[in-house]
Amino acid sequence: MPPTINKGKIMKRFEIKTPSKTAAEFTKVFSGVRFSVLTPCLLRVESGSFCDEPTQRVWGRAFDTPAYKCEQKGAEVHIITDMAHFTYNLRSKRMKRIILKDGRNVKNFKKGNLKGTRRTLDGCNGAAPLEDGLISRGGVSVMDDSDGLILRGDKIVSRPPCEDKYYFAYGSEYRTCIADFFKLCGQVPLLPRYALGNWWSRYKAYTQEEYLTLMRRFKREGLPFTVATIDMDWHWVDVVKRFGPEAKPGKSLSALDLFYNTTWPGWTGYSWNTELFPDHKAMLRELKGMNYAVTLNLHPAMGVRFFEDMYEKVAARVGVDPSTKQQIPFSLANEKIVQAYFDDVLRPYEKEGVDFWWIDWQQGKNSDVPGLDPLWALNHYHFLDQKDEGKRALILSRYAKEGSHRYPVGFSGDTFMTWASLKFQPYMTATAANVGYTWWSHDIGGHHFGYKDDELYVRWLQFGVFSPINRLHSTSNEFMGKEPWKCSPQAEAIADTMLRLRHRLIPYLYSENYVTHTMGRALCEPMYYSCDCEEAYAAKGEYMFGANLLVCPIVEKTNKGTSLASAKVWIPQGRWTDIFTGNAYTEGTYTMYRDLTKLPVFAREGAIIPMYKNDRDNNISMQNDLEVWIYRGNGEYLLYEDDGISMDYENGAFVRTHMSVTLSGDEAVFTIMPAGGEEKMLPKGRKTYLRFRDIAMADVDVDGQDMGKLNEEICVEYVGIPVIVTLKNCVFTCNADYRESVTDVVSRYNMKNFRKQQLFSGALESLTSKICAPKALRGPIEELRKICTVTAKA
């Protein structure tokens, strides 16, 4: 009989109830091979043992049955839909070829794969290999579920030998491919709103007063962090010194166990270190009073030992005599141990104020259940346990293969503090969308080793602001803290500004969070999802950041002569406006140059970006006044709001506010339509400040009332009825004057004044004039030359 995790009635919190489909019209069996046509582009092929139950990867196969033809010709099975022709060889038991609707004849299903993600970046210094994803330039990808254990109610059941593969033949329809993957494997949960702000994290043995002093300072200086993370030193770590030799972990089951048991015998722990935290309850109350969500780090591998506060309670539950001081092992197969882990070990801390857990599992992929990765099991159990408690579930943990998108947020591990590590992360973050893993959280600033470099810190933080989760983190080295004031005054000022910008972006991020949850579109999405062209595939350092922003983090050092750093950016069709410089760009590839205060971030024409007005407080309530950035053109946006924390949105407790902008000649119209959903949730008295970012002058009309000339912003109070703002006689902004811009760039360059005058005098009057600039200046001048006429073209 196959081994199971059988938790019985008391463990119903882990029961999986998902729709399954076994209707005869969508399956065919030939010579012991079963074919299931799930969509016109998605075919499942099984041999050996067939499975109609949910697995670790696949939770539901209840698609609408597509029209298809199926026939056997000799040793070949042909399945034909209106999108693909699948040919399978029964003799060799392999897919021979797939012919796509566009005529591609695909035989190599790995060629052209655009990759997915990986378990962790632990110890990585720069680029690291990625696993295959579901998106391929070849048009076909394969997901192998042969090793996926079965989820049978509240049990995890080992699977009989089989081959179980899913063929995704979506061609270049990348978003459709990922949307169907989510239908197959479960949707991405809606994150709580606080997760989208700034996180403070550090591996450091803080005292209670040190930690509270730090968090108070963040509040005092107006640095809006929303998540307070306490790493492993919240619990006893030097356990042998404090509790004696008996505190050493039990027998090691693997070389990896031996390493951790010997090097860090206190790696696992569940009892507050009262020397560092004499009154943790008071600390948690104060943190909650300052509006911080709290997470603690967990390493469960060593189980529960005699010195833990809850040892006697756990021992009584599992039938161990506490007087023996017997170590209660970490076990996924023991119902009582799993129950005790959640109810006796963790639940009391949650009641005291711990919002979620950081599952820092590093002890390998083997468990006491054959084939069950303990990392996957911990992610699965923790997430479902929180949902069972009625919470908006959240964890911080590592990636554990396809299906891990159901358990956000991902922790990418301990990277080196180097430029090479930073350079890889934007690419990895966007590419993870190819396997539906949308919520990566990196150690912003790098974790360990490497070097102290204020410029690297700022550039990494800028990427963090425009990444899924902005979590500052570092190792326990006393001199590696990521507090902004530990940098130069210039770097500190920039970091402060960036942290405040991230907080202001929460309304936009939360609306995109809703899009990810309902439509499966990642916040960070590769450029080739929007544009199937060579330039998009080559643009590995940039990505779409939600519906309206394009981001290309700078990952190169500044040139000392110009004080500018560069990034190669491909701009798609249309007009895109840099949100920091105000310059507009049209389609093409540019090498862009920015000083340390800026990075290339572009709003598409017609973009609408809802933001918080206040940037110096970590309040994230719906009552906060809003500021909406509007870019001329034709566009629309759906602002999504709910209470940000509960599951009430599932019962309709949310508000969606439709905003749109249109442009006709020199007249722009911005409209806020009546809210959809629970209108009573709209805050009373909340003001919305409208900023037309690329309109310099205009006559303003609000709901038919003449408001005079356009100032910096227009304030309206939206109470659920339409608001119509009309701007007439618009004068649009244009790119900075070429001569003036070049003069600014050249002026900052350090060289002999007479030689500078010789090189540039008289050469600035015409775009066609040859400027014999030093090499460091040629790039910035060429960028200015290329964009000087963009406004006229657009």
Side-chain angles (χ1 to χ4, degrees):
M1 184 174 181
T4 67
I5 298 178
N6 185 348
K7 294 167 287 302
K9 293 182 179 179
I10 59 174
M11 301 297 280
K12 288 294 183 182
R13 75 187 80 171
F14 303 126
E15 184 173 359
I16 300 301
K17 296 179 180 178
T18 58
S20 190
K21 186 173 180 180
T22 58
E25 68 268 16
F26 96 122
T27 63
K28 300 291 182 183
V29 179
F30 299 90
S31 302
V33 180
R34 184 166 75 164
F35 302 87
S36 302
V37 186
L38 301 178
T39 78
C41 302
L42 178 57
L43 178 68
R44 182 192 190 193
V45 182
E46 303 167 89
S47 59
S49 174
F50 300 158
C51 176
D52 293 315
E53 297 173 283
T55 67
Q56 290 171 287
R57 289 182 182 86
V58 177
W59 278 22
R61 308 178 185 93
F63 292 83
D64 294 332
T65 304
Y68 70 97
K69 294 191 296 183
C70 179
E71 60 181 348
Q72 181 178 356
K73 293 183 178 180
E76 293 183 348
V77 173
H78 297 265
I79 296 176
I80 304 171
T81 72
D82 59 357
M83 299 299 294
H85 180 167
F86 302 85
T87 302
Y88 185 87
N89 190 292
L90 295 170
R91 190 175 293 117
S92 63
K93 283 192 164 46
R94 69 178 185 88
M95 188 68 70
K96 183 177 179 180
R97 63 173 172 269
I98 300 174
I99 301 175
L100 303 177
K101 185 177 181 179
D102 61 15
R104 279 182 279 180
N105 187 346
V106 185
K107 297 180 181 179
N108 183 343
F109 307 128
K110 295 184 71 68
K111 185 177 181 181
N113 194 285
L114 290 165
K115 299 301 177 182
T117 193
R118 59 181 283 129
R119 187 181 182 99
T120 179
L121 290 176
D122 281 342
C124 291
N125 184 14
L130 300 178
E131 300 171 8
D132 281 351
L134 302 172
I135 303 301
S136 173
R137 292 199 73 179
V140 176
S141 63
V142 183
M143 183 178 76
D144 191 344
D145 194 33
S146 305
D147 61 352
L149 303 183
I150 295 172
L151 307 184
R152 184 170 294 157
D154 63 346
K155 305 178 183 66
I156 300 179
V157 182
S158 294
R159 193 169 177 182
C162 69
E163 186 172 272
D164 187 1
K165 293 183 177 181
Y166 293 80
Y167 293 85
F168 291 78
Y170 284 81
S172 301
E173 296 296 324
Y174 299 151
R175 289 198 182 105
T176 304
C177 176
I178 296 300
D180 284 347
F181 168 73
F182 287 140
K183 291 178 185 177
L184 185 72
C185 299
Q187 66 184 153
V188 183
L190 188 69
L191 299 189
R193 187 155 49 227
Y194 63 74
L196 299 172
N198 299 300
W199 298 33
W200 176 256
S201 179
R202 189 177 180 190
Y203 176 27
K204 175 179 169 61
Y206 288 103
T207 66
Q208 180 169 328
E209 189 56 32
E210 281 176 333
Y211 197 81
L212 287 174
T213 298
L214 174 64
M215 305 313 283
R216 292 168 191 149
R217 181 171 179 179
F218 286 146
K219 292 282 287 186
R220 187 172 65 250
E221 297 198 5
L223 296 178
F225 286 89
T226 56
V227 177
T229 303
I230 307 178
D231 211 320
M232 61 178 286
D233 287 288
W234 70 272
H235 61 73
W236 299 107
V237 173
D238 197 354
V239 296
V240 176
K241 180 179 179 180
R242 180 171 181 82
F243 300 109
E246 294 174 295
K248 290 183 179 179
K251 182 180 178 181
S252 301
L253 301 178
S254 67
L256 199 58
D257 279 345
L258 180 63
F259 170 75
Y260 280 101
N261 292 354
T262 304
T263 308
W264 292 289
W267 201 246
T268 295
Y270 303 109
S271 304
W272 282 93
N273 181 334
T274 53
E275 292 180 354
L276 297 177
F277 302 94
D279 189 352
H280 75 271
K281 295 180 183 179
M283 181 184 72
L284 292 174
R285 284 196 298 271
E286 183 170 346
L287 289 173
K288 303 300 284 185
M290 290 189 286
N291 207 33
Y292 294 114
V294 179
T295 182
L296 304 181
N297 179 283
L298 291 175
H299 293 91
M302 298 175 193
V304 181
R305 285 169 280 177
F306 72 90
F307 55 81
E308 302 288 4
D309 295 344
M310 66 292 298
Y311 176 75
E312 289 191 6
K313 192 170 186 178
V314 173
R317 186 188 289 270
V318 302
V320 170
D321 181 356
S323 66
T324 65
K325 296 187 178 182
Q326 175 184 333
Q327 178 177 335
I328 300 170
F330 171 73
S331 173
L332 294 167
N334 188 309
E335 170 191 339
K336 293 181 179 179
I337 288 177
V338 174
Q339 181 78 11
Y341 173 73
F342 286 104
D343 291 348
D344 301 332
V345 178
L346 304 184
R347 188 77 71 243
Y349 294 146
E350 293 172 5
K351 292 178 180 178
E352 291 169 357
V354 177
D355 293 279
F356 65 101
W357 298 95
W358 173 7
I359 306 160
D360 200 0
W361 180 265
Q362 295 170 308
Q363 283 81 8
K365 300 181 180 180
N366 298 318
S367 70
D368 49 5
V369 177
L372 180 62
D373 180 350
L375 171 63
W376 182 91
L378 283 166
N379 294 350
H380 179 73
Y381 290 160
H382 267 271
F383 209 83
L384 293 185
D385 177 69
Q386 288 201 40
K387 289 186 68 175
D388 188 66
E389 287 291 297
K391 295 180 179 179
R392 184 90 64 91
L394 183 71
I395 61 172
L396 179 64
S397 188
R398 288 172 172 80
Y399 174 78
K401 296 290 187 179
E402 300 96 335
S404 293
H405 63 274
R406 299 186 301 257
Y407 317 117
V409 166
F411 163 48
S412 70
D414 304 339
T415 52
F416 285 51
M417 291 174 61
T418 63
W419 285 97
S421 292
L422 169 59
K423 187 174 184 178
F424 182 62
Q425 287 188 3
Y427 166 71
M428 174 193 176
T429 303
T431 303
N434 293 342
V435 71
Y437 203 63
T438 59
W439 292 113
W440 263 129
S441 169
H442 304 296
D443 285 359
I444 296 301
H447 179 75
H448 55 189
F449 303 121
Y451 33 77
K452 165 68 174 176
D453 184 334
D454 284 356
E455 182 185 3
L456 174 61
Y457 167 72
V458 168
R459 293 304 189 191
W460 217 320
L461 178 54
Q462 289 172 342
F463 162 62
V465 169
F466 293 97
S467 71
I469 302 294
N470 188 35
R471 180 178 54 84
L472 280 66
H473 186 73
S474 61
T475 191
S476 57
N477 184 310
E478 189 63 34
F479 307 105
M480 282 184 161
K482 298 301 190 300
E483 296 92 335
W485 54 81
K486 293 188 175 180
C487 300
S488 67
Q490 181 196 22
E492 178 185 0
I494 298 168
D496 289 359
T497 299
M498 286 294 145
L499 289 168
R500 292 175 182 134
L501 175 59
R502 173 68 184 204
H503 188 78
R504 294 190 67 202
L505 283 168
I506 287 177
Y508 177 74
L509 296 169
Y510 197 64
S511 298
E512 297 298 324
N513 173 30
Y514 177 73
V515 171
T516 300
H517 171 61
T518 56
M519 300 175 60
R521 192 181 72 203
L523 175 65
C524 293
E525 191 181 71
M527 296 305 298
Y528 45 78
Y529 278 56
S530 302
C531 308
D532 184 19
C533 62
E534 289 299 326
E535 293 86 352
Y537 291 103
K540 294 184 177 181
E542 65 186 84
Y543 48 86
M544 290 300 299
F545 189 67
N548 286 333
L549 294 175
L550 186 160
V551 177
C552 185
I554 290 181
V555 294
E556 305 287 349
K557 293 183 181 180
T558 291
N559 180 282
K560 292 182 180 179
T562 61
S563 298
L564 300 173
S566 66
K568 188 176 181 181
V569 185
W570 172 68
I571 298 293
Q573 187 177 12
R575 184 184 66 253
W576 297 76
T577 303
D578 189 312
I579 70 170
F580 292 108
T581 69
N583 283 332
Y585 294 74
T586 54
E587 183 175 7
T589 299
Y590 303 78
T591 300
M592 299 185 181
Y593 295 81
R594 300 291 183 269
D595 65 31
L596 192 57
T597 66
K598 304 176 183 69
L599 70 157
V601 179
F602 306 90
R604 67 166 75 246
E605 56 185 290
I608 298 170
I609 314 293
M611 308 170 73
Y612 286 143
K613 179 67 172 175
N614 183 14
D615 65 356
R616 293 179 177 268
D617 190 286
N618 67 353
N619 190 312
I620 55 174
S621 79
M622 287 180 65
Q623 190 65 45
N624 287 348
D625 288 345
L626 298 177
E627 182 175 302
V628 181
W629 289 6
I630 305 157
Y631 291 83
R632 72 184 198 281
N634 297 295
E636 57 185 355
Y637 197 75
L638 194 66
L639 173 67
Y640 174 83
E641 299 175 283
D642 59 27
D643 64 19
I645 190 69
S646 78
M647 300 300 291
D648 292 348
Y649 71 91
E650 293 188 334
N651 298 315
F654 59 82
V655 181
R656 290 179 292 187
T657 304
H658 183 268
M659 304 177 183
S660 65
V661 60
T662 59
L663 180 68
S664 178
D666 63 355
E667 181 174 295
V669 179
F670 178 76
T671 305
I672 305 177
M673 295 299 293
E678 289 284 347
E679 292 183 34
K680 63 183 180 182
M681 295 182 67
L682 286 171
K684 304 299 182 185
R686 181 175 74 178
K687 293 180 171 56
T688 299
Y689 295 83
L690 310 179
R691 296 193 67 183
F692 293 85
R693 300 278 291 175
D694 53 1
I695 297 178
M697 294 186 291
D699 298 319
V700 180
D701 178 290
V702 178
D703 292 333
Q705 182 179 354
D706 183 3
M707 304 298 290
K709 298 294 184 181
L710 176 66
N711 293 316
E712 184 175 341
E713 59 191 17
I714 301 168
C715 179
V716 300
E717 187 171 328
Y718 175 65
V719 293
I721 60 175
V723 174
I724 302 175
V725 178
T726 304
L727 272 58
K728 300 177 181 178
N729 304 315
C730 293
V731 176
F732 304 121
T733 61
C734 58
N735 290 346
D737 176 75
Y738 173 72
R739 188 183 194 283
E740 182 180 339
S741 299
V742 172
T743 301
D744 289 344
V745 170
V746 174
S747 296
R748 75 167 70 194
Y749 188 72
N750 297 316
M751 65 182 296
K752 290 184 177 181
N753 290 326
F754 182 72
R755 180 59 176 157
K756 185 183 290 187
Q757 182 72 12
Q758 280 186 317
L759 290 174
F760 293 96
S761 181
L764 301 178
E765 305 302 331
S766 171
L767 292 175
T768 59
S769 297
K770 184 176 181 181
I771 299 179
C772 300
K775 185 177 180 180
L777 285 170
R778 292 173 195 166
I781 292 173
E782 180 59 27
E783 180 190 358
L784 295 170
R785 188 194 300 274
K786 288 181 72 173
I787 68 171
C788 70
T789 58
V790 162
T791 302
K793 292 179 181 177

